[in-house]
Amino acid sequence: MSARIAVRPSAARLAGALLALSLVTAGCGGSTPDPEHPSESPTTDAGDGASDAGGASDGGGQTAAAVPQEAYPITPAPEGFTPPDPCSGEGAYFAEIGGTATPDLPERAGESLTITAEGIEGADAQLTATLGDGNSRPIEDITLGETATIDLWTISVTSVCEDTQQVEFDVID
């Protein structure tokens, strides 16, 4: 009769996890100097090497790099659209450069939208949109008659006035 050792599955998983952890720890420790290049200092994933000399380090993978957000696309004005005077003052909402839209845009599905005017270059307005408490995201340069859809809102620019540094728009339902 042969003697068999019964290992419970949970004990086997624990042993496997400990082995994997020790292998990961051994691999992440640090490297030894290369004997052929003794002047090179060892580096670790914790950011010891290059970051001490002012180089970039990701801190051992602890933080993610910021990914630039794509601008909200615009829809061009309809074919044959004749733009009105750029300073028409016809929008239900307006934003001055460096300020947010007044009055506040209506909430939709319990969420809010804030439009901020960042700049005006000729007939083009540079706007940003912020959904709720999230990060602001740019809208492609937009001008008279063009629209942009931001989540549940569609805005239509009615006035871009470089003289008063004001952009006016309507919210389309």
Side-chain angles (χ1 to χ4, degrees):
M1 193 182 224
S2 65
R4 295 179 100 177
I5 299 175
V7 178
R8 296 181 7 197
S10 60
R13 277 190 237 127
L14 178 62
L18 289 173
L19 176 62
L21 182 61
S22 66
L23 291 173
V24 168
T25 304
C28 291
S31 61
T32 56
D34 183 355
E36 293 182 22
H37 300 91
S39 64
E40 292 179 6
S41 63
T43 60
T44 67
D45 285 343
D48 293 4
S51 65
D52 291 344
S57 170
D58 69 354
Q62 297 299 318
T63 57
V67 176
Q69 300 223 358
E70 258 186 65
Y72 288 105
I74 57 113
T75 301
E79 196 171 312
F81 173 77
T82 304
D85 176 41
C87 296
S88 65
E90 294 179 7
Y93 301 90
F94 76 93
E96 294 178 326
I97 302 302
T100 59
T102 303
D104 291 342
L105 276 68
E107 285 193 5
R108 301 233 166 122
E111 205 55 68
S112 63
L113 172 66
T114 303
I115 300 291
T116 305
E118 301 294 331
I120 296 174
E121 288 184 24
D124 294 330
Q126 291 82 43
L127 305 174
T128 59
T130 306
L131 289 170
D133 294 330
N135 294 328
S136 65
R137 196 169 139 191
I139 298 172
E140 290 179 354
D141 285 2
I142 192 166
T143 193
L144 297 168
E146 295 179 333
T147 61
T149 300
I150 301 107
D151 198 31
L152 300 173
W153 295 264
T154 299
I155 64 168
S156 174
V157 173
T158 57
S159 176
V160 177
C161 191
E162 197 169 27
D163 294 340
T164 61
Q165 296 289 289
Q166 217 172 50
V167 178
E168 296 185 47
F169 59 93
D170 290 325
V171 175
I172 301 171
D173 287 322

